[in-house]
Amino acid sequence: MYEVVLAHQVDFETWRNAARHYVQAGVVPESVVWRVAATEQDQPWTPCALPQGLEPAQPAFNLSRRFVGALGQAIQVCDPQRFAVLYRILYRLEHEALDLTNIQDPDLQWLRCSIGQVKADTFRFRDIFSAFSAQRSEHLLHDVPEHYILEANAHYCMQRNARPWRVVTPYRRMEWTGNGIRFAVGTDRAAEDDSVVWQADGVGVWRGYVRSVWPPHLGDVTSASSLTRLGALAMDCRACGLWHAASRTVFGEGAAQASIMLVGEQPGDQEDRQGRPFVGPAGQVLDDALQEAGLHRDQLYITNAVKHFHFIWNGTRRLHQKPEAEHIAACRVWLEAERTAVKPKLLVMLGATAAHSILQKPTTISRTRSRIFPLEDGTQGLVTVHPSYLLRLPDEASKQREYARFVEDLRMAASYVAQ
């Protein structure tokens, strides 16, 4: 018998290395025992010498990235047999030519069912996390998650709430300090031991956890039942390359059934840091103009055509770059989903990028500005400048003149929805 000790419940790295090692050597599933370390003194598995005759007889096998992702999702299910079942699937793939399209196979049925349970629990957890007030620093979750999904949602939680927070569940504690993620034992084990030791991300016993969930599918987006669910899905968006450099997805916020929906260009530096739209200098200009126009931000829905910050580095500063057509097209699915969910009476396009996304063609602001016109879905549209345009004007007289025009455009919006 061969024993494999995993560092923790979702130690996918150790499981994968051990599984490859023994599958290559032809070790049958019944000969491998899997368990999770009970204490920090339990050392996780490392490659070991095999008896003569069991040395790897064939080169390492390759799996598709999609299938490896499926295994990483299934390892999060709360089933003590999951490590053994996943190993058996790999062994059968390599030595018994397992047909992955066989929907009647018990192991593959288990795999699909496990992934479904993890996915449903992930959405439930994200809905609850998103519902907490941003001012609360600690989220106590007693009945969720049902599965081992907390680590895989660490990146999502950092994106969704940039302020420091802590999530406490029975099996794990997770804390975002504003600079890094830390993990500790959950409330069940903490009750037995008052000395809760935090470990940093990627250090010691917490190494190797699954670091992401999965990019959303179009079907998930179109079937989302609420803005909260849409926002949760958008945190994992990989539709274009902007997510690599940006800190987080910045989704829309505001009234779920707002009469007016404001659409800007993309997040800026402060929005990327805080995870909220229009909180930087342009956001302050917008807030002032809305107040003068008799509109209240909490009664509107505010979003951007592009959800990730597009920038280049200039020393230690991040300089804004205009989104490209591919970024606008990739993000359109989110904007359309927001429009469907909010059902605004009037859509206000702030700047050329927003107009390009909504009208699906390059638009000259001076030709379309300051008039209300029908859109294809039956709502009405209004094009005006982006608040950042006002900040870039060279002289004070121009700024005052254009700011007054901007306020008038917003007053036109307010008058229209008041009819």
Side-chain angles (χ1 to χ4, degrees):
M1 297 295 289
Y2 302 93
E3 182 181 66
V4 178
V5 178
L6 305 176
H8 50 83
Q9 296 288 359
V10 284
D11 185 3
F12 187 59
E13 179 183 348
T14 301
W15 177 87
R16 182 173 56 185
N17 291 339
R20 281 182 174 274
H21 182 75
Y22 290 125
V23 166
Q24 277 185 265
V27 176
V28 297
E30 295 78 12
S31 296
V32 185
V33 176
W34 305 83
R35 72 176 179 88
V36 175
T39 68
E40 290 191 18
Q41 282 66 48
D42 263 342
Q43 293 300 310
W45 178 90
T46 54
C48 54
L50 292 166
Q52 189 173 4
L54 279 182
E55 293 87 355
Q58 51 192 346
F61 57 96
N62 294 314
L63 301 172
S64 70
R65 178 177 295 183
R66 181 177 180 181
F67 188 68
V68 171
L71 300 178
Q73 293 162 24
I75 207 171
Q76 300 169 56
V77 73
C78 186
D79 181 346
Q81 298 302 314
R82 64 194 183 281
F83 308 118
V85 177
L86 291 173
Y87 177 76
R88 186 165 63 238
I89 290 173
L90 282 194
Y91 181 89
R92 293 179 61 198
L93 271 174
E94 185 67 6
H95 297 283
E96 300 176 9
L98 173 63
D99 180 6
L100 291 178
T101 65
N102 182 2
I103 61 174
Q104 301 299 324
D105 185 89
D107 286 340
L108 298 182
Q109 286 182 340
W110 175 91
L111 180 63
R112 287 190 292 271
C113 180
S114 297
I115 291 173
Q117 292 179 59
V118 167
K119 186 173 183 179
D121 202 32
T122 294
F123 286 149
R124 184 182 176 208
F125 167 76
R126 291 182 172 194
D127 285 347
I128 293 173
F129 183 89
S130 299
F132 278 101
S133 167
Q135 282 70 43
R136 295 185 61 176
S137 60
E138 182 165 305
H139 306 332
L140 297 171
L141 305 180
H142 298 292
D143 58 341
V144 292
E146 296 179 7
H147 302 284
Y148 302 115
I149 65 168
L150 206 61
E151 296 86 348
N153 281 280
H155 183 65
Y156 162 81
C157 292
M158 285 187 290
Q159 285 194 310
R160 195 63 169 162
N161 190 347
R163 297 181 177 87
W165 46 258
R166 179 185 295 180
V167 174
V168 181
T169 73
Y171 94 94
R172 183 79 79 248
R173 299 182 181 205
M174 180 171 70
E175 180 182 83
W176 166 246
T177 65
N179 294 311
I181 281 281
R182 301 192 303 169
F183 294 99
V185 296
T187 53
D188 287 347
R189 288 179 58 192
E192 303 168 4
D193 182 2
D194 292 334
S195 58
V196 178
V197 179
W198 292 91
Q199 295 283 350
D201 174 10
V203 176
V205 72
W206 307 116
R207 68 182 177 83
Y209 65 83
V210 183
R211 292 178 180 270
S212 63
V213 185
W214 48 76
H217 299 295
L218 181 60
D220 295 328
V221 176
T222 55
S223 64
S225 57
S226 67
L227 286 168
T228 298
R229 176 60 55 85
L230 281 172
L233 287 167
M235 294 303 113
D236 289 319
C237 185
R238 306 287 189 271
C240 73
L242 293 185
W243 71 275
H244 283 286
S247 302
R248 55 183 49 81
T249 304
V250 180
F251 205 66
E253 67 176 23
Q257 300 297 321
S259 297
I260 298 177
M261 180 172 171
L262 299 180
V263 182
E265 181 189 71
Q266 67 167 348
D269 181 75
Q270 287 302 310
E271 289 79 7
D272 180 70
R273 296 179 190 279
Q274 299 183 41
R276 298 180 58 217
F278 285 96
V279 292
Q284 184 59 59
V285 173
L286 177 62
D287 287 343
D288 292 343
L290 287 173
Q291 185 175 8
E292 289 193 38
L295 293 168
H296 300 281
R297 180 167 174 147
D298 59 359
Q299 296 175 339
L300 312 173
Y301 186 81
I302 302 178
T303 190
N304 282 299
V306 175
K307 311 301 188 191
H308 284 107
F309 182 28
H310 185 28
F311 65 91
I312 59 171
W313 285 103
N314 182 14
T316 59
R317 296 179 60 218
R318 301 192 297 177
L319 299 183
H320 164 279
Q321 297 291 292
K322 185 176 180 180
E324 298 174 8
E326 64 179 285
H327 306 141
I328 298 171
C331 262
R332 187 170 291 122
V333 62
W334 299 113
L335 187 56
E336 292 302 317
E338 288 173 295
R339 290 174 64 180
T340 300
V342 176
K343 297 180 176 63
K345 185 176 179 180
L346 178 65
L347 206 62
V348 178
M349 293 157 265
L350 304 174
T353 298
H356 184 172
S357 180
I358 299 298
L359 304 177
Q360 299 192 36
K361 62 181 180 181
T363 302
T364 303
I365 299 299
S366 60
R367 293 178 183 175
T368 53
R369 182 179 180 179
S370 304
R371 61 182 177 85
I372 293 175
F373 55 91
L375 300 175
E376 290 184 358
D377 64 352
T379 60
Q380 301 293 308
L382 170 65
V383 174
T384 186
V385 295
H386 193 283
S388 62
Y389 161 76
L390 305 175
L391 295 172
R392 297 193 300 269
L393 292 172
D395 59 87
E396 193 60 32
S398 297
K399 288 182 178 180
Q400 291 183 9
R401 181 181 65 253
E402 290 302 315
Y403 176 78
R405 287 192 66 192
F406 182 53
V407 171
E408 283 304 312
D409 287 341
L410 294 179
R411 284 196 180 121
M412 181 185 299
S415 298
Y416 177 79
V417 297
Q419 295 175 2

